[in-house]
């Protein structure tokens, strides 16, 4: 048996030298690899790529083109935009309406214009640091990206113009800030401040468009109701209509709405968060900064505390319970107050005069005429029964989600300032804008808008796994 094994091992080198092809599947001639056999996997003599290999060049198919544009526009970051307008509408005491929808459309267009312009301006830098981006990789031409930026800017301004001249003025300032940042300010010390101003202007755009559109429709309805013959001109005030002075999540009466400048505190909070995210993003390609993520983490914590603390303080002139006005000037009675279980005793007014009505003299009160469906802006207590109780809980939950989304990635980037962890911190800061917007809307008295904004979180998270927001 030993002799047989030795003889077999001695014959193995000769057999390998006589084999027509090597172990790698290619013919071996004179010790050097030769041409591939004509029956290779490619089917064309080995000159065509294998079916499972994708070329990096453009034009491979419609799917590759669509993916290239989604990467250029960073569509996973789009979900951080609608909350600006909703938070702005809540800050001025209005429910979302036509003006809010126009502001959201304009914001989306201007946001995507900034994304395309950003890659166009950074095409030479990305060719070195991020060659996989759509323009350096050749999947999208530089001229196409610049043309898309211009077209989207024009579309955004056109939508803002439909919301009124004040909204168009704010949108023009926003567009100018976006272009100035991408073309020049990005690489200067004013870069983070420019981005913060752009995000603040976006929230003010929603506030201005909502307030302008609602005021215009209210003025039109008032003029129509006060002119012309018939009972419309002299229609009495609807029974039970109380001008709401507290926050709610439905349309408020025209007199309770605030100026668009009332949204400035919320805009500053959102701008401060954006400033921090932009400061961190300046190191996402090379990394190496520990102090910046730590400072931004401290700022994030301070912003969350400010949102909660502001809600604890009661606004001047507002009743303790939102949505309920005073019974009379100088009166301290509230029907829902625990120390006022019953109404104050009615003083005796003497004998009834001829033609006057007294409940004890008229057991059956006169029927109240049907006044039809409620008009926009009228208050109904049943619509706000649960809002005061839910608002603090929702505000705490949204603020906690904001800290949970932005905080841990910033801490990791501070402990290990590598480019991947820094990019993750930037992505977390972008996604954290959504719960921050929800908290701002809830703080202003619109918990329904806050819930609508938070509904975008799962969509943004799932899409971020496919398309990076940075």
């Amino acid at each position: 048996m030993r002799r047989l094994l030795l003889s077999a091992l001695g014959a193995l080198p000769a057999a390998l030298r006589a084999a027509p092809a090597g172990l790698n599947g290619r013919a071996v001639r004179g010790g050097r690899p030769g041409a591939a056999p004509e029956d290779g996997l490619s089917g064309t003599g080995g000159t065509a790529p294998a079916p499972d290999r994708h070329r990096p060049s453009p034009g491979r198919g419609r799917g590759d083109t669509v993916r290239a544009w989604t990467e250029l526009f960073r569509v996973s970051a789009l979900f951080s935009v609608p909350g600006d307008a909703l938070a702005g509408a809540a800050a001025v005491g209005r429910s979302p309406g036509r003006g809010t929808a126009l502001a959201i459309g304009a914001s989306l267009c201007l946001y995507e214009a900034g994304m395309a312009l950003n890659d166009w301006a950074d095409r030479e830098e990305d060719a070195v640091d991020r060659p996989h981006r759509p323009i350096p990789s050749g999947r999208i031409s530089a001229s196409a990206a610049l043309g898309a930026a211009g077209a989207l800017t024009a579309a955004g301004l056109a939508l803002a113009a439909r919301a009124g001249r004040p909204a168009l003025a704010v949108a023009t300032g926003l567009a100018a800030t976006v272009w100035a940042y991408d073309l020049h300010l990005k690489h200067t010390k004013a870069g983070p401040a420019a981005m913060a101003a752009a995000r603040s202007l976006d929230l003010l755009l929603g506030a201005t468009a909502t307030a302008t559109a609602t005021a215009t429709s209210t003025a039109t309805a008032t003029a129509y109701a006060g002119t012309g013959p018939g009972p419309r001109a002299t229609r009495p005030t609807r029974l039970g209509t109380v001008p709401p002075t507290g926050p709610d999540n439905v349309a408020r009466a025209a007199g309770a709405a605030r100026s668009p400048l009332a949204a400035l505190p919320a805009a500053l909070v959102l701008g401060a968060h954006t400033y921090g995210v932009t400061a961190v993003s300046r190191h996402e390609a090379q990394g190496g900064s520990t102090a910046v993520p730590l400072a931004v983490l401290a700022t994030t914590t301070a912003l969350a505390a400010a949102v909660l603390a502001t809600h604890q303080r009661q606004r001047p002139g507002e009743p303790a319970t939102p949505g309920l006005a005073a019974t009379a000037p100088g009166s301290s009675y509230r029907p829902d107050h625990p120390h006022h279980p019953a109404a104050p005793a009615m003083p005796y007014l003497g004998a009834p005069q001829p033609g006057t009505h007294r409940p004890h003299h008229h057991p059956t009160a006169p029927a109240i005429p049907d006044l039809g469906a409620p008009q926009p802006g009228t208050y109904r207590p049943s619509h706000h029964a649960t809002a005061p109780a839910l608002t603090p809980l929702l505000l705490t939950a949204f603020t906690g989600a904001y800290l949970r989304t932005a905080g841990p990635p910033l801490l990791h980037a501070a402990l290990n300032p590598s480019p991947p962890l820094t990019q993750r911190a930037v992505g977390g800061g972008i996604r954290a804008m959504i719960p921050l917007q929800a908290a701002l809307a809830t703080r202003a008295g619109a918990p329904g808008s806050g819930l609508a904004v938070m509904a975008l979180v799962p969509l943004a998270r799932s899409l971020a796994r496919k398309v990076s927001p940075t």
Side-chain angles (χ1 to χ4, degrees):
M1 180 66 68
R2 184 177 298 177
R3 289 193 193 128
L4 290 175
L5 285 174
L6 291 175
S7 62
L9 290 174
L12 183 59
L16 290 176
R17 286 192 300 267
L23 295 178
N24 58 0
R26 290 180 294 181
V28 179
R29 299 175 183 174
R32 291 179 297 181
E38 293 189 0
D39 58 348
L41 294 176
S42 64
T44 56
T47 58
D52 58 341
R53 297 174 188 167
H54 300 295
R55 296 180 180 178
S57 59
R60 195 169 65 239
R62 180 177 299 179
D64 182 71
T65 303
V66 172
R67 179 169 181 82
W69 283 101
T70 57
E71 291 180 9
L72 180 75
F73 289 138
R74 296 174 175 87
V75 294
S76 61
L78 269 181
F79 297 100
S80 68
V81 177
D84 291 345
L86 293 176
V92 296
R94 298 289 190 180
S95 63
R98 174 179 175 273
T100 314
L102 290 172
I104 292 176
S107 299
L108 290 172
C109 290
L110 295 177
Y111 188 85
E112 293 294 43
M115 290 296 184
L117 186 64
N118 175 78
D119 274 30
W120 178 86
D122 288 349
R123 61 192 185 278
E124 296 180 358
E125 180 181 341
D126 287 344
V128 178
D129 297 331
R130 310 174 80 176
H132 61 279
R133 293 297 300 165
I135 295 179
S137 63
R139 291 176 293 163
I140 294 178
S141 64
S143 59
L146 183 60
L152 287 170
T153 301
L157 294 178
L159 289 173
R162 297 289 302 273
R165 291 183 179 179
L168 177 60
V170 177
T172 302
L174 174 58
T177 305
V178 169
W179 280 73
Y181 172 81
D182 286 332
L183 297 180
H184 177 65
L185 297 178
K186 180 194 308 183
H187 301 291
T188 66
K189 294 182 179 180
M195 277 297 293
R199 184 63 74 162
S200 298
L201 285 172
D202 197 34
L203 190 146
L204 292 175
L205 173 60
T208 305
T210 304
T212 303
T214 308
T216 303
S217 61
T218 302
T220 303
T222 303
Y224 175 71
T227 58
R232 179 179 297 274
T234 59
R235 187 169 184 172
T237 303
R238 181 174 302 279
L239 187 65
T241 301
V242 180
T245 58
D248 55 65
N249 198 47
V250 295
R252 301 182 183 214
R258 296 184 287 270
S259 165
L261 292 178
L264 190 58
L268 293 177
V269 170
L270 197 60
H273 173 78
T274 306
Y275 187 100
V277 175
T278 308
V280 175
S281 69
R282 296 164 74 90
H283 305 276
E284 64 179 346
Q286 292 83 17
S289 175
T290 299
V292 174
L294 280 178
V296 175
L297 179 59
T299 303
T300 300
T301 307
L303 290 176
V307 171
L308 292 175
T310 305
H311 180 73
Q312 299 295 334
R313 297 194 299 267
Q314 182 180 339
R315 293 191 182 94
E318 290 188 355
T321 301
L324 295 177
T327 306
S331 174
S332 60
Y333 169 70
R334 295 291 184 277
D336 62 324
H337 199 279
H339 298 290
H340 298 280
M346 183 179 295
Y348 178 70
L349 301 178
Q353 299 297 321
T356 59
H357 171 70
R358 293 288 185 272
H360 57 280
H361 289 281
H362 302 276
T364 304
I368 299 175
D370 182 16
L371 299 179
Q375 299 298 316
T378 56
Y379 170 73
R380 292 293 182 269
S382 59
H383 291 179
H384 313 279
T386 59
L390 288 179
T391 298
L393 297 177
L394 291 177
L395 180 61
T396 303
F398 296 158
T399 307
Y402 165 64
L403 287 174
R404 176 66 181 84
T405 306
L410 287 171
L411 181 60
H412 296 161
L415 296 176
N416 181 12
S418 61
L421 291 181
T422 304
Q423 293 174 9
R424 188 175 301 176
V426 175
I430 294 174
R431 291 191 301 273
M433 290 182 185
I434 300 178
L436 179 58
Q437 294 160 347
L440 291 174
T442 305
R443 185 192 66 169
S449 296
L451 289 172
V453 173
M454 283 299 292
L456 301 175
V457 171
L459 300 176
R461 186 177 300 162
S462 61
L463 194 56
R465 298 189 183 102
K466 301 178 181 178
V467 181
S468 174
T470 62

